[in-house]
Amino acid sequence: MEAPSLRDIELALTLLWTRRSKRENFLAGETVQDGIHPSLVKHIDVRGVKLYASLIELGRLDLMASIYPHCKKILGKHFNATVHNYMETMPPAHFNLNQAASQFSQFLSEHQSTEAYRLKHPFLPELADYEWIELEAMESNSEVNVAAASSTADVQYLLSDLQVFAGSVPQLNPTLIARAYKYPIGEIVGKIEHDEKLPRRQKVQPSWVLALRSGDHEARYVDLSELAYILVQVIMANAAITYGELIALACSHSGAGAAETVADFLTMVEDFKEIAVIL
Amino acid sequence: MSSGFLTAKKQMPNLGVGLGLRRELAAETMVNKDAIDWLELVPENYMDLGGKTRQRLDDALEKFPLVTHGVNLSIGSTDELSQDYLSSISRLLNKIDAPWWSDHLCFTSIENSYLHDLLPLPLSAEALKHVVKRVKTAQHVVGRPFLLENISYYMEMPGDQMEEVDFLAQVLEKADCGLLLDVNNVYVNSVNHNFDPYRYLDRLPLERTVQIHVAGHSHGDELLIDTHGAPVIEPVFELLEYVLKRTDVKAIMLERDQNYPQFSEILAELAQIRDIVMRVRPSIAACA
C-alpha cells in the first residue's frame, strides 16, 4: 500500500475534525473508514482530534448564534445540533466567515433532520432568511449613493410637475433585497424579541419585506403591502421603467379607484424616498 | 545565496507599534492615533464588502498605515490556490497600498470547504515542497512581499518528518519570503510541546522577520490556547526583546481578539511594547 500523501492526511484529519460520526467511530477504535487512509489511523493524535473538533465547532456555533439569534431562540436546545448538521451538509464554501451561514434557510427548509422543527415552527426557514438578508444588505458591496438620495422637498418639487414626474425613472437602493413570505415574519420576530408566546400553530399570513442599507450604513427592514412589493419587483426587473408606467401598473392591480391609487402611490414614493428605498 | 526578499526588506518602511483593526475596538482605536502607529486588518473581513465595513476601512486608511494579515489563503492546502481569493486580496492590497501582506503557515480549506480555523500541516518533505511552490506563486501573483506566520499547533500530525522550526525555516528560505514571528505562539508551543523557545528562535532565519505579533493566551484543560483574549505575559515580552536584540524588524503588533478589556489596558500593553522597542531597537519606532 502506498504511503499516505499530504492530501490523504489533510482529508482524513478534516473528516475527523468536522464529521461527528467519523470522529465517534475513530474514538471508538474503528480502524477502517471511508476517506481515511488505513495506515494513518494509528498515527493520529486523539487529543488533537478532539481539541480541533471542539475549536471548529465552537467557532461555528458563535458565528451562527450571532447571525441567527431568533432562530437560536426558537430552536433552543436543538440549536447546536442543527448547526452541526447544517455545517456537515452545507460546508462553508467561501473565505469570508459570515458566508458560512448563508445557506441556513435552505437547509432548514430542505433537510430531513429539520423536519420536526418545520412541523412545529413552519416559519423557521423564512425566519432564517429574514435574519440573513439583514446581514446581506448590511455588507453588500454596492454603494448607497447618498448624494443621489433626494429629500422629501425634492420629491415635492418633482411632483409639482406631474409630466416630468411621470416620465422619470426611479432609482432603487442597490442594497435592497425584497422578500414575499408565507408567514408574518416581522411580527414573529417582534414576539420573539419581547419573549411573547408564539401561537401553538402559526397561521399562514403572507407578508412582504424589504431589507436595505441606508446612507448611514445601518441595515433596516421595511414592511410592505403586496402591491408595493409587486412594484418594487417590477422596478428591480426593469431599471428603465418610469413612474408613469408604475402608476398605470398600480391602477391595474389595485381594487381601489384610480384617484385613491394614485394618491397612495405618491405617498409610497415619498415614503420610499425618505427611507432610501428609492434614491 | 542572494535573496530578493531580504533586499526588498531593506526598502520596507518602519511602521512602529500597531494594533489589530477590530470592529469592537475601532472607535477607540481611531481616536488614539498618538499611541498607535499602524493597524493590521484581517482581509477576509473587508474583501469585497461595503457598508460599515468599508467605512471602517476608509476611516482607518485615512489615519493609519495598514497591512493585512489573512486567515484563509490556505497556503498548505492541497486544493488549487483560490484565484478568487488572490484577485480579491490584490484589490484590497492595492487600495490600502500595503507594504507587505501575510498569512499563516497552515491549511484552512480542503475540497473547496473552509474550516475557518488554522490547521497544522504535516511537517514532511512533501508538505515543504508544496508550500514553497504555493508561496512563490502567491507572492508572484499578488506582487507584494509576503510573510508567513508561525502558528500555535495543538497536535502532532501524522507524517511529521522534521521539527516545526526546521520546517518553517526551510519554507522561508526556499520560498524566499518573510517571517511574521508570533512570539506568543512560540511561547505557547514551547510549553505545549516542551521545547526551549530561545533555542527555537536561534534556529530561525530571524533576519527574515518583518513583523512581530505579541498576544495573550489562555489555559485550556491540558494545553495553552492562543486565544488573543488575555493580557500578554512577561515571558512573551521577554521573547520579543530577545528577538529585537538579534534582528531588525519593521513592525510590531499587539493582537487582542476577544474578552476585550478597557481600552486603557490595551494602551498600557502597547506602551510596554514601545518601551522595549525604544530600549532595544528604537529605529523601528523612529520613522513611524
Side-chain angles (χ1 to χ4, degrees):
Chain A
M1 185 186 291
E2 272 188 36
S5 65
L6 174 60
R7 187 159 186 86
D8 290 331
I9 295 169
E10 290 182 344
L11 285 170
L13 266 300
T14 300
L15 279 176
L16 295 174
W17 288 326
T18 60
R19 302 278 166 161
R20 281 162 300 162
S21 61
K22 297 276 184 195
R23 189 161 63 249
E24 281 159 17
N25 291 341
F26 166 73
L27 296 175
E30 206 165 292
T31 53
V32 180
Q33 291 202 70
D34 275 354
I36 300 177
H37 196 288
S39 71
L40 277 176
V41 174
K42 61 178 180 294
H43 300 292
I44 293 176
D45 169 359
V46 172
R47 184 180 70 176
V49 167
K50 288 183 187 168
L51 180 64
Y52 277 103
S54 136
L55 291 173
I56 291 168
E57 286 191 351
L58 283 174
R60 290 174 166 186
L61 289 171
D62 276 356
L63 171 76
M64 295 296 281
S66 71
I67 296 176
Y68 298 106
H70 300 107
C71 289
K72 186 181 179 190
K73 257 188 168 175
I74 293 287
L75 286 164
K77 63 182 181 186
H78 303 293
F79 180 74
N80 290 7
T82 307
V83 168
H84 297 325
N85 281 335
Y86 164 63
M87 291 290 180
E88 286 195 14
T89 310
M90 297 173 163
H94 197 274
F95 53 76
N96 174 274
L97 177 63
N98 286 342
Q99 286 297 321
S102 65
Q103 292 179 285
F104 194 46
S105 172
Q106 188 189 339
F107 172 77
L108 290 171
S109 69
E110 287 174 358
H111 201 257
Q112 204 184 351
S113 68
T114 63
E115 200 175 346
Y117 314 135
R118 281 200 303 274
L119 282 173
K120 194 172 176 195
H121 305 292
F123 57 83
L124 196 55
E126 290 188 346
L127 177 62
D129 181 69
Y130 184 88
E131 299 200 273
W132 173 253
I133 61 175
E134 182 187 27
L135 179 73
E136 206 174 312
M138 177 106 80
E139 295 197 330
S140 165
N141 199 16
S142 303
E143 287 280 0
V144 180
N145 189 350
V146 185
S150 32
S151 66
T152 310
D154 295 331
V155 180
Q156 293 296 349
Y157 173 74
L158 197 59
L159 291 178
S160 66
D161 187 338
L162 286 176
Q163 289 280 37
V164 174
F165 175 70
S168 61
V169 171
Q171 188 197 337
L172 278 184
N173 182 320
T175 68
L176 193 139
I177 300 162
R179 288 287 193 268
Y181 293 129
K182 272 170 70 181
Y183 294 93
I185 300 299
E187 216 176 283
I188 291 169
V189 164
K191 285 183 177 163
I192 297 170
E193 281 174 356
H194 294 100
D195 286 324
E196 286 175 35
K197 207 169 175 190
L198 293 170
R200 188 178 291 271
R201 185 80 199 161
Q202 179 67 51
K203 285 185 184 151
V204 170
Q205 182 193 319
S207 63
W208 300 274
V209 175
L210 299 178
L212 69 142
R213 189 179 77 228
S214 39
D216 59 2
H217 302 308
E218 294 298 332
R220 66 174 66 170
Y221 298 105
V222 179
D223 291 322
L224 298 177
S225 67
E226 183 179 12
L227 179 57
Y229 172 78
I230 290 169
L231 294 174
V232 168
Q233 291 283 84
V234 168
I235 304 171
M236 283 174 138
N238 178 6
I241 198 163
T242 63
Y243 281 113
E245 290 166 318
L246 287 168
I247 289 173
L249 190 70
C251 289
S252 71
H253 275 77
S254 170
E260 193 183 332
T261 303
V262 171
D264 287 349
F265 180 88
L266 297 178
T267 305
M268 182 193 79
V269 170
E270 284 189 325
D271 291 346
F272 276 4
K273 288 267 187 186
E274 203 170 324
I275 57 178
V277 171
I278 293 174
L279 299 176
Chain B
M1 194 173 78
S2 70
S3 161
F5 185 85
L6 291 177
T7 305
K9 181 182 169 185
K10 290 180 189 152
Q11 306 302 318
M12 291 177 195
N14 287 315
L15 295 188
V17 179
L19 184 65
L21 176 60
R22 303 291 181 260
R23 179 171 47 87
E24 295 85 348
L25 304 175
E28 283 157 305
T29 300
M30 300 295 173
V31 295
N32 278 286
K33 192 168 174 356
D34 291 350
I36 304 165
D37 299 330
W38 64 280
L39 298 178
E40 179 195 89
L41 56 95
V42 178
E44 292 83 355
N45 294 345
Y46 294 88
M47 284 150 71
D48 303 321
L49 298 179
K52 273 186 188 166
T53 307
R54 187 184 299 155
Q55 185 63 57
R56 187 163 58 246
L57 178 65
D58 290 344
D59 290 348
L61 186 54
E62 209 170 90
K63 293 186 169 73
F64 298 93
L66 302 178
V67 301
T68 67
H69 180 52
V71 291
N72 268 324
L73 175 60
S74 200
I75 200 72
S77 172
T78 45
D79 282 358
E80 291 291 311
L81 268 174
S82 165
Q83 295 307 312
D84 283 351
Y85 183 93
L86 290 174
S87 303
S88 183
I89 198 164
S90 294
R91 284 194 294 276
L92 178 64
L93 291 166
N94 290 341
K95 177 182 167 85
I96 65 174
D97 196 18
W100 62 79
W101 61 300
S102 65
D103 207 300
H104 302 81
L105 181 51
C106 68
F107 77 105
T108 60
S109 61
I110 187 80
E111 292 200 311
N112 302 313
S113 293
Y114 286 86
L115 289 100
H116 294 293
D117 213 321
L118 308 173
L119 304 163
L121 290 166
L123 306 170
S124 65
E126 185 193 2
L128 175 63
K129 192 173 164 193
H130 179 70
V131 171
V132 165
K133 187 176 168 201
R134 285 161 68 94
V135 169
K136 284 180 177 173
T137 303
Q139 195 161 229
H140 175 73
V141 169
V142 170
R144 289 174 193 267
F146 178 67
L147 321 181
L148 269 178
E149 180 187 336
N150 56 307
I151 62 164
S152 287
Y153 57 100
Y154 308 109
M155 69 185 286
E156 307 287 342
M157 291 292 276
D160 280 357
Q161 294 168 332
M162 60 189 96
E163 289 181 48
E164 186 243 353
V165 65
D166 296 327
F167 186 84
L168 173 60
Q170 288 195 59
V171 168
L172 299 173
E173 297 283 8
K174 291 183 177 181
D176 194 22
C177 69
L179 173 62
L180 193 169
L181 180 63
D182 188 316
V183 286
N184 179 57
N185 288 348
V186 173
Y187 178 81
V188 164
N189 289 337
S190 75
V191 173
N192 289 342
H193 303 290
N194 194 26
F195 64 77
D196 178 344
Y198 293 96
R199 286 201 61 199
Y200 175 100
L201 292 173
D202 289 343
R203 287 164 68 183
L204 284 176
L206 285 180
E207 70 279 9
R208 288 187 177 272
T209 312
V210 171
Q211 189 184 326
I212 296 180
H213 274 173
V214 180
H217 54 262
S218 305
H219 292 258
D221 290 341
E222 297 174 72
L223 299 170
L224 299 185
I225 307 288
D226 174 41
T227 53
H228 306 170
V232 181
I233 63 168
E234 201 51 43
V236 172
F237 283 122
E238 287 166 8
L239 289 175
L240 168 67
E241 182 163 343
Y242 185 83
V243 175
L244 291 182
K245 280 179 177 164
R246 279 155 184 78
T247 193
D248 181 31
V249 305
K250 301 294 180 180
I252 302 165
M253 181 255 186
L254 173 66
E255 290 186 296
R256 188 72 190 231
D257 293 329
Q258 52 176 295
N259 195 21
Y260 293 108
Q262 293 289 312
F263 202 73
S264 56
E265 288 180 41
I266 288 175
L267 292 175
E269 286 194 327
L270 286 168
Q272 200 170 345
I273 293 170
R274 196 178 297 278
D275 282 349
I276 295 170
V277 168
M278 295 312 286
R279 187 155 34 83
V280 181
R281 198 164 286 270
S283 59
I284 300 168
C287 305

